[in-house]
Amino acid sequence: MQVQPPSKLVRTEYDLVLLDVNLPDGNGYDLCRLIKPESPDTLVIFLTANDQESDQIKGYEAGAVDYITKPFSIGALLRKIRAMFAMLEHRGVTKDFYDDGRLSVDFSQQSAWLNGKPLTLSPMEYKMLSLFCKNPKQILTRQRLLERLWDAEENYVDEHTLTTSISRIRGKIEAEGDNYIKTIYGTGYQWMGGERK
């Protein structure tokens, strides 16, 4: 027998759903898998006491855009929600825009700001940031990044250039204690979206 999503989720379109992993009558992962096919544009944020990396990966694979572990402050939760609504606003304007309330990047215009102050980024840095922003929380291997950054003119991007570019981007966007790019040692990098260190 196929499980159906709750009737309220079918009748009403929601922009954002806050979903606990441990529910009285099931689990949030299964509910998220029911929500996403019916409402692919609905953003899902998991709230959970499970802080294992495997649990987080399971949440992202189910279709969530973020995963907040308990205990958390209401202020941190509200900031995440504001960032999600900012993303929704820009989704209709341009698909090439990132904004989390502190860092704003317009990829189509190649312009960026941190806390309202303009940032100077190279074309390679914009291209790299775009890859990260379009794959939030996903681990991008060094090999995948190198393959994706190889440009139309076949200008070769080597390991050293990749490491240097990541370091330069971090220096520009993580200056105020925000964690945007996490190093996954021996594998690659993961876009964290400005979590506080």
Side-chain angles (χ1 to χ4, degrees):
M1 185 177 79
Q2 188 175 4
V3 181
Q4 296 297 319
S7 57
K8 283 187 178 179
L9 288 172
V10 175
R11 291 195 303 264
T12 309
E13 189 170 321
Y14 294 93
D15 291 323
L16 177 68
V17 173
L18 293 176
L19 188 56
D20 202 311
V21 170
N22 300 309
L23 301 173
D25 55 351
N27 73 69
Y29 300 128
D30 290 339
L31 182 54
C32 185
R33 290 188 190 98
L34 293 173
I35 292 170
K36 294 305 285 184
E38 299 289 330
S39 307
D41 292 331
T42 297
L43 302 177
V44 177
I45 297 178
F46 275 120
L47 309 176
T48 180
N50 305 338
D51 60 357
Q52 296 294 318
E53 186 176 352
S54 59
D55 292 318
Q56 295 181 27
I57 290 170
K58 193 173 178 181
Y60 296 125
E61 287 175 346
V65 294
D66 212 338
Y67 192 103
I68 303 174
T69 55
K70 301 173 186 176
F72 54 83
S73 71
I74 294 299
L77 176 61
L78 290 175
R79 199 175 84 180
K80 294 253 187 189
I81 291 171
R82 279 196 298 270
M84 292 300 159
F85 280 120
M87 189 171 77
L88 281 172
E89 283 177 26
H90 293 298
R91 186 186 278 177
V93 179
T94 173
K95 291 182 179 177
D96 280 335
F97 201 97
Y98 174 85
D99 188 350
D100 63 18
R102 294 184 310 279
L103 175 66
S104 302
V105 186
D106 186 337
F107 294 104
S108 59
Q109 299 294 320
Q110 296 227 327
S111 54
W113 307 265
L114 184 65
N115 294 320
K117 298 175 184 175
L119 285 176
T120 302
L121 300 170
S122 70
M124 173 63 72
E125 289 166 345
Y126 276 110
K127 193 169 183 180
M128 194 173 292
L129 271 177
S130 178
L131 279 173
F132 280 119
C133 292
K134 289 175 181 175
N135 297 280
K137 301 286 186 175
Q138 293 183 33
I139 297 171
L140 299 179
T141 64
R142 292 180 67 85
Q143 186 58 39
R144 183 177 174 195
L145 285 166
L146 290 169
E147 289 170 359
R148 298 289 296 276
L149 293 169
W150 191 305
D151 66 20
E153 287 77 39
E154 296 191 357
N155 292 324
Y156 182 65
V157 178
D158 60 19
E159 290 269 349
H160 176 71
T161 304
L162 177 62
T163 302
T164 303
S165 295
I166 294 280
S167 179
R168 283 186 184 148
I169 291 171
R170 280 180 168 148
K172 292 173 183 179
I173 69 175
E174 296 186 349
E176 299 187 23
D178 301 316
N179 182 22
Y180 280 99
I181 302 172
K182 178 181 178 182
T183 299
I184 309 298
Y185 291 100
T187 306
Y189 302 94
Q190 184 179 25
W191 181 255
M192 303 305 294
E195 291 182 358
R196 288 290 176 184
K197 291 180 179 176

